[in-house]
Structure formats: structure tokens, C-alpha cells
Amino acid sequence: MELTGAEIVTRCLAEEGVEFVFGYPGGAVLNIYDEIFKQNKFKHVLVRHEQAAVHAADAFARASGKVGVALVTSGPGATNAVTGIATAYMDSIPVVIISGQVPTAAIGLDAFQEVDAVGITRPCVKHNFLVKDVGELASTIKKAFHIAATGRPGPVLVDIPKDVTFHKTEFAYPDSVSMRSYNPVLKGHSGQIKKAAQMLLEARRPMIYTGGGVILGNASEQVTELARLLHYPVTNTLMGLGGYPASDRQFLGMLGMHGTYEANMAMQHCDVLLAVGARFDDRVIGNPAHFAREQRRIVHIDVDPSSISKRVKVDVPIVGDVRQVLDELLKLFKASKETPDEAALNTWWTQIELWRSRNCLKYNRESEIIKPQFVVEKLWEVTGGDAFVTSDVGQHQMWAAQFYKFDKPRRWLNSGGLGTMGVGLPYAMGAQLAHPEATIACITGESSIQMCIQELSTCKQYRLPVKIINLNNRYMGMVRQWQEFFYGSRYAESYMESLPDFVRLAESYGHVGMRIDKPEDVEGALKEAFSPALKERLVFMDFQTDQTENVYPMVEGGKGLSEMILAEEL
Amino acid sequence: MSSRHIISLLMENESGALSRVAGLFSARAYNIESLTVAPTEDATLSRMTIVTVGSEDVIEQIIKQLNKLVDVVKVLDLTEGSHIERELMLVKVRAAGKEREELKRMADIFRGRIIDVADLTYTIELTGTGTKLDAFLEAIDQGAILETVRTGASGIGRGDRILKV
Ligand SMILES: Cc1ncc(C[n+]2csc(CCOP(=O)(O)OP(=O)(O)O)c2C)c(N)n1
């Protein structure tokens, strides 16, 4: 039977097992919306801004491991989506974005709501397509899902001109995709894996450093088993949190610009480093020249060859699916008669414990003003460490990463690569839809939350009972911190004047609002918000926090990992 | 230490393929000295030759990043092995009176051909490596050069070094 392009779109999405499409209608996609109206295979979630559509689809993918889907119209719909697409791209999140386009005959004529969506998004997608012929629509959508989800994942945009959505063709959804130009390497080189095993066993000061690739590659079980087997210390990047249980003794905390003293020192001073699904980026190792000062041998496992030896030269590169490669490594260790040098390892752990005893995350617990760290600690307690936590970008993001101990993967959703303020609330929506029964907490700041605040309305419509923890310091705190440290405390445009009354704002959207001013009320408020009585409600908690608090430790831009500024030194 | 590399690649002959490569070079601030592209004997494939300059690390990244483009089928650094490089140049020169003999002689020495003759001008066609073309331009009277157009280098491996799907 012949179907229209619009019918084909909805049929393809159904074939892919899509549960939710996050979108916003407009002229170029009305045929598709008409088909959405007629079907019941997947639900459409109407956001209030296309940026949030892509963020929510991205969060759905992060929290579930499936491909997220967003649908936007041509022109402003597509341009509004770009921030979301770039955010997903920087963190390698599998999302398929379908955008409407003006009819093929009008392309290039500056038609109403025309933009070159393929051109605009080219540098921030894994791949994109303009479908000019309805005959290629189904196979293109199939390819889009395949490319988004395999290898190093990423967003794929499919731009569909309006005429293609009403042209008809025979529909057949391909079972599989074969592309001569795209075949990611999944199986690691066995010789390299052997070399890696040997090198790791010879370590005297070993370190395991894992990133977002372990989360995306579903390899946290393998990382955990390997670390426990060898009794080696582990650190995670901001994107990698949850890759190893954070409440375990072998975990040294996050590393990098706001990493712990012990993680950064161990990273700098180890003699053999196992890097898994991580990319040695500037926020992680600081100045690469300083990092290279210490002699160490590096094993690097990653599915993307271009991530290897990009900023730091490595000794044993292994290209492959991190889970498969770690399975192979584990087999070798289990079969091996050799074990790590126990005496050397003990000495190394003694050193690490000494670093740990600096207690680099300490803060003033006697404060009469609410300390943001205290709120996150209490949140962890009240939620039993088992919530899905999203954050925006700024100081609150770092405190969330430092103080909420993630024991499981896919529980921590934030924009690590692009650092996009505004993701917090749409991320919470995507996570809640992926896990309807789970507890979802959005840790945000009063500046970030205002960048996608309109989504409170979406939350009302779809009854998404997310809990918003607003660490309200009346400043763009992270900007203020940099201005304090590096610009002589000249706080140019970083103070948030004329803030709304968040309690009444939340209420006007039909939600519950709370304002918390004193440290002694923090726990009670959290307990109430997360109580069964409010289980079905969105609760907006506006915590009035200390305006002067800074994030420590801190590695200044361009400095080395071991050159941290610590709280006590100030 | 930067050096000159000639990178050959085969990619799907899709619309937008060229802009993906060009965009990659500008987004990552890689050098492009020249870039040529045309379909191959298999019309679904385009072959591109890119001449670039960079350190070993940068060239390694360029090749990895090119391979990462979904439309790219194969990438080869021709300069890693023995290869042949050719570029085509058309030069229009002022050729009147005595100059005509001299220019004809120079074209012959460089194995060029005069492909258009007018009362006051010659157009000379010349192929060779970029250095040879440069040498020709230096050898003739600078004032005589009216216009030049060059294709940029194309390259191919020697012997059984073959870039094919
Ligand atoms: C879209 C966007 N614009 C600007 C920035 C730069 N920026 C980074 S953190 C920050 C301040 C965030 O303030 P707030 O949300 O209140 O969080 P806080 O740092 O106070 O916890 C800004 C402006 C950004 N990351 N994203």
C-alpha cells in the first residue's frame, strides 16, 4: 500500500519502538502532526520551546539508554533546536531530530520560515540528511537511528521538506542498515589488550580514570569488577559519574577543574593509567604540558579513534566498544597467575589516604546561612542516594557532582561538554518520562532555571512530579567566583536583580512552591517534598543560600592538575 | 615540525559531502593548501585530494576526523609512501613580437603546450608538481603574466598502492 511521507514518518518511529516524541508544531510539519493525531503507538510531548524538546529527548536517551526523538518545524523551530542539538553532540548522546523544511521547490528562494537546517547543524551533529525524495524517507530514518545509536553515539538530524510529507510511496521499513562508509570498530585488538593487561599488572601506582563513554557504553559493571579485582583506585569525570559506585572506598571522587584533591593528585602521580571512555579534555587534566611532566604509561580504551592521542599521547591505544574490551581484559586477569605488586600497592594506597585526609570538600557546617553543599548532602540522604539527578550549569552543578554520591550509571544528567544553562528542567522531564516511578531531582540555580522556566507548564500538562532544588544565591555564582578570583571582585553583570518570587511562580503554573531560608529547615523541607503526600506533585524548593560560597578545589585554567586552590588556603 | 601532506579520500557522492570536509577543516582550524574533487569511474563515489600542512599529531587527527565523517569511505595519506602528484595550470601571457619565440621556447622546456593563440596573447597549459609550476612562473618574464589558474594537486599512489573500495 502506498503511504504519504507523513504516514511513513510515524510508521518508522513506531517500528523503532519510539515511546515519546518531544516536539512543537508548525507549518512545515503539520502533515506529520496530523498523522501523530491518528496513531497511538507513541506519545507526543508538547514542550514550550524547541530547545527543551531536544534537551528532553536527550535526557530520555541518557536516562534510558535508548534513542531520544525530537520533532520541530522549519526555520525558527530548527534554529531553536540548535542549542539542544549541540548540547547532545558534545556529550555524544543518541538523539534523532526531525525538522520540517519548506517544500523542495521553494528551497533556496528565501521562502517563509526557510533556513538551511542541514547547513546550520552540520558542525554539531554526528550526521544529517535532507530528504528530497519520499522514496528515500524510510531508509533515511532507519539510517538516522542506526548512526545515532552506534559507535560513538550522537545526534542525527533528518530535514524533511513539506512536499515530501504528502508525496506517496510504497512503505517498507528496512530490517538492517549496511553502509560501506560507516562501520565503527567494536572489537578491540587482542594484541593490544594483552599488552594493556601486562602493563596494568606491572603498575606500582595505578589509576583508573573513566568518563562518559563508560556510561554510554553500559560498561560500569565491567569497570567495577576490574577495579575490585585489582584493588586499584578509580576516579570519574563529570560525565562519568556513576560509572563506579561513588560511596565505595576505592572511589577517589571526581577529577578535574573541581575534582577532589586525592583524585587529581593520584591522576598526576600515577605510573600506569587506565583511561576508559574519557578524552583527557581541558577541564579534566588542565594544562597537558604540566600533565606530561610526570612519567606515566597510559592505556586508553575508546570507541572513537579520534579521541585517542588527541591531547595526551598514549602508550597502548585500544579502539573498540568499552564494554567488550573490558570483558576481554577481565578474562585475561582472571586467567593470569600474575597479580599486582601488593607492597607497592599498599604504599600507594597509604599515599592516597594521606591526600584524602586533606578533606578537600569540607565547608562550614556551623553556618547560619544555608550552605549549598549542605542542601545537596541532605538531598542525598533524603533520597537514599537513589534519585535521578539533573543539574544546570554553574556552581550548583559542581556541588551536585561533588556531594551527591552516584552509585549507579545513568543517574546523573548534566551538560558536561557544552555547559548549557537551561538543561536542568527539560532533563528532569526526559528522565521522569523514561522512569515514571523514579525520584527525579533537578539541582539548579536561579539564573539557569530561568533559561527554560517555561517548561513548568509542560510538567503540569504531563503531570511530571519532578523536584526542583533551586540553590538561590542571587548571583550567577560561577561567574561571580571567577570575577572574585581573577577580576579583582568586579562583579560585572553577574548579580541577578528582580528575581521572581519562585514560590508564587511555581504556584501559578499549578505546582507546589516552598521557600527555605534557614539551615535548620533544609532537611524538613526536603523530607516533605519527597514525602508520599507530594509524590504526584512538582515541588519547587527555593533555597536561599550563601552568596559568597565558592567551589573548591579549583584548578585554574592553564594550570596543572596538582596546582589546586583549596578552601583552607584562602 | 610541520610538513606538507597529500591526503586522498573516497566519499559518497552525496550533496553536501564537500561542505562536510571543508567545514571540518575550518571548524578545527586545519590548513588547506588545495582541495580538488570529482566523481570517480563509479559515479556513486567522489575522490578528493587535499593538500595540507601540519605536524605529525595534527595530520594524525586530520585523518581520524576525516574517517569519522559518515560519508567518507576511505582515507589515505599519499605522502606516507611513494606517489605521483600532478597539477594542471593554465597561464595567459602577453605575447607580442619577439616575446612570442621566447615564450614558445620556455613552454617547450617545461613541456607545456600553447593551447590558445591570439594576436597579443598565448595561453599555455602545463602539468606537473606544484614546484614545477612555480618554477615555470618564475622562469618567464613576470610582467608578461596576465592570468593564471591552477587546479590544485591530484595524487595517486605508485605501483600497487591503490585506493579503492
Ligand atoms: C547558555 C549559557 N549562557 C552562559 C553561560 C555561562 N555561565 C556559566 S555558569 C553561569 C552562571 C550560572 O548561574 P546560576 O544558574 O545561578 O548557578 P550558580 O553558579 O549560581 O550555582 C553562567 C552565566 C552558560 N554556561 N550557558
Side-chain angles (χ1 to χ4, degrees), chain A residues 89 118 122-123 125-129 132 147 152 179-182 304-310 313, chain B residues 12 14-16 19-20 27-28 42 44-45 57 60-61 64-65 67-73 165:
Chain A
Y89 179 69
V118 161
R122 189 175 296 124
V125 290
K126 183 170 173 186
H127 198 59
N128 57 20
F129 298 94
K132 287 190 184 152
I147 294 169
R152 179 175 180 171
M179 295 171 75
R180 62 180 168 184
S181 63
Y182 176 74
D304 176 8
S306 75
S307 284
I308 296 179
S309 290
K310 183 164 68 177
K313 277 267 165 223
Chain B
E12 298 291 353
E14 304 267 356
S15 69
S19 58
R20 287 185 210 280
R28 296 195 180 260
D42 169 355
T44 66
L45 279 177
D57 292 352
E60 183 183 330
Q61 265 300 310
K64 285 174 169 177
Q65 294 291 345
N67 266 313
K68 208 163 127 176
L69 293 176
V70 169
D71 282 338
V72 169
V73 186
V165 181

Side-chain angles (χ1 to χ4, degrees), chain A residues 393-396 419 421 445-448 451 473 475-479:
Chain A
V393 174
Q395 292 182 315
H396 63 272
M421 288 169 70
E446 77 296 333
S447 315
S448 291
M451 285 214 182
N473 52 9
Y475 272 107
M476 296 173 196
M478 191 56 95
V479 174

Side-chain angles (χ1 to χ4, degrees), chain A residues 180-181, chain B residues 7-13 17 21 37-42 44-49 66-67 69-76 162-165:
Chain A
R180 62 180 168 184
S181 63
Chain B
I7 295 167
S8 269
L9 63 94
L10 288 172
M11 64 194 305
E12 298 291 353
N13 191 4
V21 174
V37 61
T40 63
E41 74 283 3
D42 169 355
T44 66
L45 279 177
S46 286
R47 169 125 176 189
M48 195 178 282
T49 309
L66 285 169
N67 266 313
L69 293 176
V70 169
D71 282 338
V72 169
V73 186
K74 265 196 180 152
V75 184
L76 179 69
I162 290 166
L163 181 64
K164 218 174 160 56
V165 181

Side-chain angles (χ1 to χ4, degrees), chain A residues 213-230:
Chain A
V214 165
I215 311 292
L216 295 165
N218 299 312
S220 53
E221 241 173 79
Q222 281 75 2
V223 166
T224 308
E225 195 181 345
L226 188 128
R228 295 220 167 119
L229 191 73
L230 300 172

